[in-house]
Amino acid sequence: MNVLIIKLLLTLTLIVIFLQDTKERQVYWFLFPIIGMCSGVLLYKNTIPELFFRYVLVNVMFITLLVSVVYLYSKFKLKTTIRQTFGLGDGLLFLALAFSFSSVSFIILFVFGLVFSLVLHLFLKQKSKHNTVPLAGYLSFFFAITYLAYWSGILKSVYSI
């Protein structure tokens, strides 16, 4: 498959998730595997196979640690279930994004994406009719911007640091 088509499909899918999640707080499930496959192909083409599998493993371990912390915080501090504090779409996007970048780049971009999501939500929450955070949507928007900045030459490197 042509790399340009993969880039277009990835960008379009990220934007669709942003629009769906911010408007309806629901996202079609089949969009997440598209992100995982497209970003995985791009990472695979920009690294050697042995490192690709190592990156994905470390990224999944990071996501597992992060979701475990959210689970424990929900259970013990908030005294509620994780379903009340963290959406399925958020978790699916986290897993799909695990295929996107080398581990150091992924962790840095992921943390900045979370900060971006918080700031964006603080600015937009007065205009929203929902009281929940569309985290998958905001993160998708951040990663779409990140990819576009890299492809246009604004960011010099996202696949290795």
Side-chain angles (χ1 to χ4, degrees):
M1 187 180 255
N2 189 345
V3 173
L4 181 60
I5 293 171
I6 293 171
K7 290 177 179 179
L8 267 166
L9 183 60
L10 177 60
T11 305
L12 181 64
T13 305
L14 289 167
I15 291 169
V16 167
I17 288 176
F18 168 70
L19 295 173
Q20 281 187 335
D21 200 24
T22 53
K23 288 184 180 184
E24 304 166 16
R25 297 302 194 267
Q26 293 180 354
V27 179
Y28 293 123
W29 67 269
F30 62 85
L31 296 174
F32 301 109
I34 293 172
I35 290 174
M37 286 186 286
C38 289
S39 61
V41 167
L42 293 174
L43 175 61
Y44 190 84
K45 287 183 173 284
N46 284 289
T47 190
I48 56 176
E50 295 82 17
L51 285 179
F52 172 78
F53 294 110
R54 185 173 293 163
Y55 291 154
V56 171
L57 178 65
V58 171
N59 294 352
V60 168
M61 288 170 43
F62 173 74
I63 299 239
T64 303
L65 176 67
L66 189 67
V67 172
S68 298
V69 169
V70 171
Y71 171 78
L72 293 171
Y73 185 81
S74 297
K75 184 173 182 167
F76 295 112
K77 181 69 175 168
L78 299 177
K79 308 274 191 236
T80 186
T81 64
I82 193 168
R83 294 187 73 185
Q84 297 296 319
T85 56
F86 188 77
L88 178 61
D90 302 332
L92 291 174
L93 180 68
F94 286 9
L95 286 175
L97 290 174
F99 294 89
S100 57
F101 301 108
S102 67
S103 297
V104 173
S105 296
F106 174 74
I107 292 169
I108 291 169
L109 289 170
F110 197 83
V111 169
F112 275 100
L114 292 175
V115 172
F116 172 85
S117 299
L118 173 65
V119 171
L120 189 60
H121 181 68
L122 291 175
F123 279 117
L124 298 178
K125 72 178 180 179
Q126 292 87 6
K127 297 178 183 177
S128 177
K129 60 185 176 190
H130 303 282
N131 61 355
T132 58
V133 179
L135 182 58
Y138 291 160
L139 271 178
S140 294
F141 185 57
F142 175 82
F143 276 90
I145 292 169
T146 301
Y147 274 117
L148 291 172
Y150 174 67
W151 296 330
S152 65
I154 296 170
L155 288 177
K156 298 299 176 206
S157 175
V158 293
Y159 290 109
S160 63
I161 288 186

